[in-house]
Amino acid sequence: MILVVGGAGYIGSHLVKELVEKEEVVVLDNLSTGHREAVDQRAIFVEGDLGNEQDLQKVFSNYPIQAVMHFAANSLVGESVVDPLKYYQNNVASTLTLLKVMKETNVNKFIFSSTAATYGIPNVEIIHESTQTKPINPYGHSKLMIEQILADFAKAYGFQYIVLRYFNAAGAHESAVIGESHDPETHLIPIILQHLLGQRDKISVFGSDYDTKDGTCIRDYIHVTDLASAHILALQALLTEKKSAEIYNLGNGLGYSVNEVIGTCENVTGVKANVEMADRRAGDPARLVASSQKIFSELGWKAERDLKKIIADAWKWHQTQRY
Ligand code: UDP
């Protein structure tokens, strides 16, 4: 049985939908940002908090957990700058409680959701796992701290783990049964699509004077279903002991500027956007694009879905959004 912590959240719920096809799944989520309706009915759902040792002990004693996949974190860069306590409390302290209970119950396989924010402002065009990590905000620091803790747990206690550093997760399940729903929404693609649906009067582009081809920031957008398939491969690699301490980037290797994303949304939906140029948003690097060559050569994973597919699936979801 696999424990998915944060399985009611955006990325966790998409992973659960794929994982229930192969494994028995228990989801633990405190529903602080997740949605109960997003959890596939084939999974067992436990409402509880990662930072609460008793909630965790109950789960580990009630179910024969073989491995843990951890998606329960706060993930907004800007918020982490103004409220670092929240980020170190939820992303570091609570994760440490989870790792402690895992150690006590002899569960030693762990898949960890990390982030491109661990790299800070990279001085390379394409980011490899060996690129220097130098976070520029508490969110990135909080994730890198857990990566360090995992490396130490591996050496000292024989922990086996795979860290997945996501670039920009986007899109929705093809069925449009689940998708992205944050409150407040801060991410580019949902904001554009909400605007195109008439739910916002304009889109603000945060910065048009970056040193990029059109002056707007470049990101590597990756379909949430591709992220889910990478987790399944990583889990298999841990369960079969093929891998025991690895870090992989997850991106599709292509960068798109904010203007290009807006243009693609207009093309896919056939609706014209009202766009205003605005000031830069604090903490945004000009360009974040991944090499995912390592996970391709070691686990055979690559992104199958391009930006158009990401936007088409997100558009379907936003038109019928259930939660
Ligand atoms: N962005 C923007 N307007 C918005 C939201 C985002 O111009 O209303 C930009 C943001 O500055 C960044 C890119 O879109 O360059 C992606 O931002 P998002 O918040 O989606 O993801 P992040 O890269 O921060 O993880």
Coordinates of all heavy atoms in Angstrom, one line a residue, residues 204-270:
S204 N -2.4 40.7 -16.3 CA -1.3 41.5 -16.1 C 0.0 40.7 -16.3 O 0.1 39.6 -15.7 CB -1.2 42.1 -14.6 OG -2.4 42.8 -14.3
V205 N 0.8 41.2 -17.2 CA 2.1 40.5 -17.4 C 3.1 41.1 -16.5 O 3.4 42.3 -16.6 CB 2.5 40.7 -18.9 CG1 3.9 40.1 -19.1 CG2 1.5 40.0 -19.8
F206 N 3.7 40.3 -15.6 CA 4.6 40.8 -14.6 C 6.0 41.0 -15.1 O 6.9 40.1 -15.0 CB 4.6 39.9 -13.4 CG 3.3 39.7 -12.7 CD1 2.9 38.5 -12.1 CD2 2.4 40.8 -12.6 CE1 1.7 38.4 -11.5 CE2 1.1 40.7 -12.0 CZ 0.8 39.4 -11.4
G207 N 6.2 42.1 -15.8 CA 7.6 42.4 -16.3 C 7.7 42.2 -17.7 O 7.5 41.0 -18.2
S208 N 8.1 43.2 -18.5 CA 8.3 43.1 -19.9 C 9.7 43.6 -20.3 O 10.0 43.9 -21.5 CB 7.2 43.8 -20.7 OG 7.1 45.1 -20.2
D209 N 10.6 43.7 -19.3 CA 11.9 44.2 -19.5 C 13.0 43.2 -19.1 O 14.1 43.6 -18.7 CB 12.1 45.6 -18.8 CG 11.9 45.5 -17.3 OD1 11.4 44.4 -16.8 OD2 12.2 46.4 -16.6
Y210 N 12.6 42.0 -19.1 CA 13.6 40.9 -18.8 C 14.5 40.7 -20.0 O 14.2 41.0 -21.1 CB 12.9 39.6 -18.4 CG 12.3 39.6 -17.0 CD1 11.0 39.9 -16.8 CD2 13.1 39.3 -15.9 CE1 10.4 39.8 -15.5 CE2 12.6 39.3 -14.6 CZ 11.2 39.5 -14.5 OH 10.7 39.5 -13.2
D211 N 15.7 40.1 -19.7 CA 16.6 39.8 -20.8 C 16.3 38.5 -21.4 O 16.9 37.5 -21.3 CB 18.1 39.8 -20.2 CG 19.1 39.6 -21.2 OD1 18.8 39.8 -22.4 OD2 20.2 39.1 -20.9
T212 N 15.1 38.5 -22.1 CA 14.7 37.4 -22.9 C 14.2 37.8 -24.2 O 14.2 39.0 -24.5 CB 13.4 36.7 -22.1 OG1 12.4 37.7 -22.1 CG2 13.8 36.2 -20.7
K213 N 13.8 36.9 -25.1 CA 13.5 37.2 -26.5 C 12.4 38.3 -26.6 O 12.5 39.2 -27.5 CB 13.2 36.0 -27.3 CG 12.1 35.2 -26.8 CD 11.9 33.8 -27.5 CE 11.0 32.9 -26.6 NZ 11.0 31.6 -27.1
D214 N 11.4 38.3 -25.8 CA 10.4 39.3 -25.9 C 10.2 40.1 -24.6 O 9.3 40.9 -24.4 CB 9.0 38.7 -26.3 CG 8.5 37.7 -25.3 OD1 9.0 37.7 -24.1 OD2 7.5 36.9 -25.6
G215 N 11.2 40.0 -23.7 CA 11.2 40.8 -22.5 C 10.4 40.2 -21.3 O 10.4 40.7 -20.2
T216 N 9.6 39.1 -21.6 CA 8.8 38.5 -20.6 C 9.4 37.2 -20.1 O 10.3 36.6 -20.8 CB 7.3 38.2 -21.0 OG1 7.3 37.3 -22.1 CG2 6.7 39.5 -21.5
C217 N 9.1 36.7 -18.9 CA 9.8 35.6 -18.3 C 9.5 34.3 -19.0 O 8.4 34.1 -19.5 CB 9.3 35.4 -16.9 SG 9.9 36.6 -15.7
I218 N 10.5 33.5 -19.0 CA 10.4 32.2 -19.7 C 10.4 31.0 -18.7 O 11.2 31.0 -17.7 CB 11.6 32.0 -20.7 CG1 11.5 33.0 -21.8 CG2 11.7 30.6 -21.2 CD1 12.6 33.0 -22.8
R219 N 9.4 30.2 -18.9 CA 9.2 29.0 -18.0 C 9.0 27.7 -18.8 O 8.7 27.8 -19.9 CB 8.0 29.2 -17.1 CG 8.1 30.3 -16.1 CD 9.0 30.0 -15.0 NE 9.1 31.1 -14.0 CZ 10.0 32.2 -14.1 NH1 10.7 32.3 -15.2 NH2 10.0 33.1 -13.2
D220 N 9.2 26.6 -18.1 CA 9.1 25.3 -18.7 C 7.8 24.7 -18.1 O 7.8 24.3 -17.0 CB 10.4 24.5 -18.3 CG 10.4 23.1 -18.8 OD1 9.4 22.5 -19.1 OD2 11.5 22.6 -18.9
Y221 N 6.8 24.6 -18.9 CA 5.5 24.2 -18.5 C 5.4 22.7 -18.7 O 5.7 22.2 -19.8 CB 4.4 24.9 -19.2 CG 4.4 26.4 -18.8 CD1 5.2 27.3 -19.5 CD2 3.7 26.9 -17.7 CE1 5.3 28.7 -19.2 CE2 3.8 28.2 -17.3 CZ 4.6 29.1 -18.1 OH 4.6 30.4 -17.7
I222 N 4.9 22.0 -17.7 CA 4.9 20.5 -17.8 C 3.5 20.0 -17.4 O 2.9 20.5 -16.4 CB 6.0 19.9 -16.9 CG1 5.9 18.4 -16.7 CG2 6.1 20.6 -15.5 CD1 6.6 17.7 -17.7
H223 N 2.9 19.2 -18.2 CA 1.5 18.7 -18.0 C 1.5 17.9 -16.7 O 2.3 17.0 -16.5 CB 1.1 17.9 -19.2 CG -0.4 17.7 -19.2 ND1 -1.1 17.0 -18.3 CD2 -1.3 18.1 -20.1 CE1 -2.4 17.0 -18.6 NE2 -2.6 17.6 -19.7
V224 N 0.5 18.1 -15.9 CA 0.3 17.5 -14.6 C 0.2 15.9 -14.8 O 0.7 15.2 -13.9 CB -0.8 18.1 -13.8 CG1 -2.2 17.8 -14.5 CG2 -0.9 17.7 -12.4
T225 N -0.3 15.5 -15.9 CA -0.4 14.0 -16.1 C 1.0 13.5 -16.4 O 1.3 12.3 -16.1 CB -1.4 13.7 -17.3 OG1 -2.7 14.3 -16.9 CG2 -1.6 12.2 -17.5
D226 N 1.8 14.2 -17.1 CA 3.2 13.8 -17.3 C 4.0 13.8 -16.0 O 4.8 12.8 -15.7 CB 4.0 14.8 -18.2 CG 3.6 14.5 -19.7 OD1 3.3 13.4 -20.1 OD2 3.6 15.5 -20.5
L227 N 3.7 14.7 -15.1 CA 4.3 14.7 -13.7 C 3.9 13.4 -13.0 O 4.7 12.7 -12.4 CB 3.8 15.8 -12.9 CG 4.4 17.2 -13.1 CD1 3.9 18.2 -12.1 CD2 6.0 17.1 -13.1
A228 N 2.6 13.1 -13.1 CA 2.1 11.8 -12.5 C 2.8 10.6 -13.0 O 3.2 9.7 -12.2 CB 0.5 11.7 -12.7
S229 N 3.0 10.5 -14.3 CA 3.6 9.3 -14.8 C 5.1 9.2 -14.4 O 5.6 8.1 -14.1 CB 3.5 9.2 -16.3 OG 4.2 10.3 -16.9
A230 N 5.8 10.4 -14.2 CA 7.1 10.3 -13.7 C 7.1 9.8 -12.2 O 8.0 9.0 -11.9 CB 7.7 11.7 -13.7
H231 N 6.1 10.1 -11.5 CA 6.1 9.6 -10.1 C 5.9 8.1 -10.1 O 6.4 7.4 -9.2 CB 4.9 10.3 -9.3 CG 5.2 11.7 -8.9 ND1 5.2 12.7 -9.8 CD2 5.6 12.2 -7.7 CE1 5.5 13.8 -9.1 NE2 5.8 13.5 -7.9
I232 N 5.1 7.6 -11.0 CA 4.8 6.2 -11.0 C 6.1 5.4 -11.4 O 6.5 4.4 -10.7 CB 3.7 5.8 -12.1 CG1 2.5 6.7 -11.8 CG2 3.5 4.3 -12.2 CD1 1.4 6.1 -11.0
L233 N 6.9 6.0 -12.3 CA 8.2 5.3 -12.7 C 9.1 5.4 -11.5 O 9.9 4.5 -11.2 CB 8.8 6.0 -13.9 CG 8.1 5.7 -15.2 CD1 8.7 6.6 -16.3 CD2 8.2 4.2 -15.6
A234 N 9.2 6.6 -10.8 CA 10.1 6.7 -9.7 C 9.7 5.7 -8.6 O 10.6 5.1 -8.0 CB 10.0 8.1 -9.2
L235 N 8.4 5.6 -8.4 CA 8.0 4.6 -7.3 C 8.4 3.2 -7.7 O 8.9 2.5 -6.8 CB 6.4 4.7 -7.2 CG 5.8 3.7 -6.2 CD1 6.3 4.1 -4.7 CD2 4.3 3.7 -6.2
Q236 N 8.2 2.8 -9.0 CA 8.6 1.5 -9.4 C 10.1 1.3 -9.2 O 10.6 0.3 -8.7 CB 8.3 1.3 -10.8 CG 6.8 0.8 -11.1 CD 6.4 1.0 -12.5 OE1 7.2 1.5 -13.4 NE2 5.1 0.7 -12.8
A237 N 10.9 2.3 -9.5 CA 12.4 2.2 -9.3 C 12.7 2.1 -7.9 O 13.7 1.3 -7.5 CB 13.0 3.5 -9.9
L238 N 12.0 2.7 -7.0 CA 12.3 2.5 -5.5 C 11.8 1.1 -5.0 O 12.6 0.4 -4.3 CB 11.5 3.5 -4.7 CG 12.2 4.9 -4.5 CD1 11.3 5.7 -3.4 CD2 13.6 4.8 -4.0
L239 N 10.6 0.7 -5.5 CA 10.1 -0.6 -5.0 C 10.9 -1.7 -5.5 O 11.0 -2.8 -4.8 CB 8.6 -0.7 -5.4 CG 7.6 0.2 -4.7 CD1 6.2 0.0 -5.3 CD2 7.6 0.1 -3.2
T240 N 11.5 -1.6 -6.7 CA 12.3 -2.7 -7.2 C 13.8 -2.6 -6.8 O 14.6 -3.3 -7.3 CB 12.2 -2.8 -8.7 OG1 12.6 -1.5 -9.3 CG2 10.8 -3.0 -9.2
E241 N 14.0 -1.5 -6.0 CA 15.4 -1.3 -5.6 C 16.4 -0.9 -6.7 O 17.6 -1.1 -6.6 CB 16.0 -2.4 -4.7 CG 15.0 -2.9 -3.7 CD 15.4 -2.8 -2.3 OE1 16.6 -3.2 -2.0 OE2 14.6 -2.3 -1.4
K242 N 15.8 -0.5 -7.8 CA 16.7 -0.1 -9.0 C 17.4 1.2 -8.6 O 18.5 1.5 -9.1 CB 15.7 0.1 -10.2 CG 16.4 0.5 -11.5 CD 15.4 0.5 -12.6 CE 16.1 1.2 -13.8 NZ 15.1 1.6 -14.8
K243 N 16.7 2.1 -7.8 CA 17.3 3.4 -7.4 C 17.1 3.5 -5.9 O 16.1 3.1 -5.4 CB 16.6 4.5 -8.2 CG 16.8 4.5 -9.6 CD 18.2 5.0 -10.0 CE 18.5 4.9 -11.4 NZ 19.9 5.0 -11.7
S244 N 18.0 4.3 -5.3 CA 17.9 4.5 -3.9 C 18.1 5.9 -3.4 O 17.8 6.2 -2.3 CB 18.7 3.5 -3.1 OG 20.1 3.8 -3.4
A245 N 18.7 6.7 -4.2 CA 19.0 8.1 -3.7 C 19.2 9.0 -5.0 O 20.4 9.1 -5.4 CB 20.2 8.2 -2.8
E246 N 18.2 9.5 -5.6 CA 18.3 10.2 -6.8 C 17.5 11.5 -6.8 O 16.5 11.6 -6.1 CB 17.8 9.3 -8.0 CG 18.6 8.1 -8.3 CD 20.0 8.4 -8.8 OE1 20.3 9.5 -9.3 OE2 20.8 7.4 -8.8
I247 N 18.0 12.4 -7.6 CA 17.3 13.7 -7.9 C 17.1 13.8 -9.4 O 18.0 13.6 -10.2 CB 18.1 14.9 -7.4 CG1 18.3 14.8 -5.9 CG2 17.5 16.2 -7.8 CD1 19.2 15.9 -5.3
Y248 N 15.8 14.1 -9.8 CA 15.5 14.3 -11.2 C 14.7 15.6 -11.4 O 13.8 15.9 -10.7 CB 14.7 13.1 -11.7 CG 15.3 11.8 -11.7 CD1 14.8 10.8 -10.9 CD2 16.4 11.5 -12.5 CE1 15.3 9.5 -10.8 CE2 17.0 10.2 -12.4 CZ 16.4 9.2 -11.6 OH 17.0 8.0 -11.6
N249 N 15.1 16.3 -12.4 CA 14.3 17.4 -12.9 C 13.1 16.9 -13.7 O 13.2 15.9 -14.4 CB 15.1 18.2 -13.9 CG 16.1 19.1 -13.3 OD1 16.1 19.4 -12.1 ND2 17.1 19.6 -14.1
L250 N 12.0 17.6 -13.6 CA 10.8 17.2 -14.5 C 10.4 18.5 -15.2 O 9.8 19.4 -14.6 CB 9.7 16.7 -13.6 CG 9.9 15.4 -12.9 CD1 8.7 15.0 -12.1 CD2 10.3 14.2 -13.9
G251 N 10.7 18.5 -16.5 CA 10.3 19.6 -17.3 C 10.1 19.1 -18.7 O 10.3 17.8 -18.9
N252 N 9.8 19.9 -19.7 CA 9.8 19.3 -21.0 C 10.9 19.9 -21.9 O 11.0 19.7 -23.1 CB 8.5 19.3 -21.7 CG 7.9 20.6 -22.0 OD1 8.6 21.4 -22.6 ND2 6.7 20.9 -21.7
G253 N 11.8 20.7 -21.3 CA 13.0 21.2 -21.9 C 12.8 22.3 -22.9 O 13.7 22.8 -23.5
L254 N 11.5 22.8 -22.9 CA 11.2 24.0 -23.8 C 10.8 25.1 -22.9 O 10.0 25.0 -22.0 CB 10.1 23.6 -24.7 CG 10.4 22.5 -25.7 CD1 9.1 22.1 -26.5 CD2 11.4 23.0 -26.7
G255 N 11.3 26.3 -23.3 CA 10.9 27.5 -22.5 C 9.9 28.2 -23.3 O 10.0 28.4 -24.6
Y256 N 8.8 28.7 -22.7 CA 7.8 29.6 -23.3 C 7.8 30.9 -22.5 O 7.7 30.9 -21.3 CB 6.5 29.0 -23.4 CG 6.4 27.8 -24.3 CD1 6.5 26.5 -23.9 CD2 6.2 28.0 -25.7 CE1 6.5 25.4 -24.7 CE2 6.2 26.9 -26.6 CZ 6.3 25.7 -26.1 OH 6.3 24.6 -26.9
S257 N 7.7 32.0 -23.2 CA 7.6 33.3 -22.5 C 6.1 33.5 -22.1 O 5.2 32.9 -22.7 CB 8.1 34.4 -23.5 OG 7.1 34.6 -24.5
V258 N 5.9 34.5 -21.2 CA 4.6 34.8 -20.8 C 3.7 35.2 -22.0 O 2.6 34.7 -22.2 CB 4.6 35.9 -19.7 CG1 3.1 36.3 -19.4 CG2 5.3 35.4 -18.4
N259 N 4.3 36.0 -22.9 CA 3.6 36.4 -24.1 C 3.2 35.2 -25.0 O 2.1 35.2 -25.5 CB 4.4 37.4 -24.9 CG 4.3 38.8 -24.3 OD1 3.5 39.1 -23.5 ND2 5.2 39.7 -24.7
E260 N 4.1 34.3 -25.1 CA 3.9 33.1 -25.9 C 2.7 32.3 -25.3 O 1.9 31.7 -26.0 CB 5.1 32.2 -26.1 CG 6.1 32.9 -27.0 CD 7.5 32.1 -27.1 OE1 7.8 31.5 -26.0 OE2 8.1 32.2 -28.1
V261 N 2.7 32.2 -24.0 CA 1.7 31.4 -23.3 C 0.3 32.1 -23.6 O -0.7 31.4 -23.9 CB 2.0 31.2 -21.8 CG1 0.8 30.5 -21.1 CG2 3.2 30.5 -21.6
I262 N 0.3 33.4 -23.5 CA -1.0 34.1 -23.7 C -1.4 33.8 -25.2 O -2.6 33.5 -25.4 CB -0.8 35.6 -23.4 CG1 -0.5 35.8 -21.9 CG2 -2.1 36.4 -23.8 CD1 -0.1 37.2 -21.5
G263 N -0.5 33.9 -26.1 CA -0.8 33.7 -27.5 C -1.3 32.3 -27.8 O -2.3 32.1 -28.5
T264 N -0.7 31.3 -27.1 CA -1.2 29.9 -27.3 C -2.6 29.8 -26.7 O -3.4 29.1 -27.3 CB -0.2 29.0 -26.7 OG1 1.1 29.3 -27.1 CG2 -0.5 27.5 -27.1
C265 N -2.8 30.4 -25.6 CA -4.2 30.3 -25.0 C -5.2 30.9 -25.9 O -6.3 30.4 -26.1 CB -4.2 31.1 -23.6 SG -3.4 30.2 -22.3
E266 N -4.8 32.1 -26.6 CA -5.8 32.7 -27.5 C -6.0 31.7 -28.7 O -7.2 31.6 -29.1 CB -5.2 34.0 -28.0 CG -5.2 35.1 -26.9 CD -4.6 36.4 -27.5 OE1 -3.7 36.4 -28.3 OE2 -5.0 37.5 -27.0
N267 N -5.0 31.1 -29.2 CA -5.1 30.2 -30.3 C -6.0 29.0 -30.0 O -6.9 28.6 -30.7 CB -3.8 29.7 -30.8 CG -3.0 30.7 -31.6 OD1 -3.6 31.7 -32.0 ND2 -1.7 30.6 -31.6
V268 N -5.7 28.4 -28.8 CA -6.4 27.2 -28.4 C -7.9 27.5 -28.2 O -8.8 26.7 -28.5 CB -5.8 26.5 -27.2 CG1 -6.7 25.4 -26.6 CG2 -4.4 26.0 -27.5
T269 N -8.2 28.6 -27.6 CA -9.6 28.9 -27.1 C -10.3 29.7 -28.2 O -11.6 29.8 -28.1 CB -9.6 29.7 -25.8 OG1 -8.9 31.0 -26.1 CG2 -8.8 29.0 -24.7
G270 N -9.6 30.4 -29.1 CA -10.3 31.3 -30.1 C -10.8 32.6 -29.4 O -11.6 33.3 -30.1

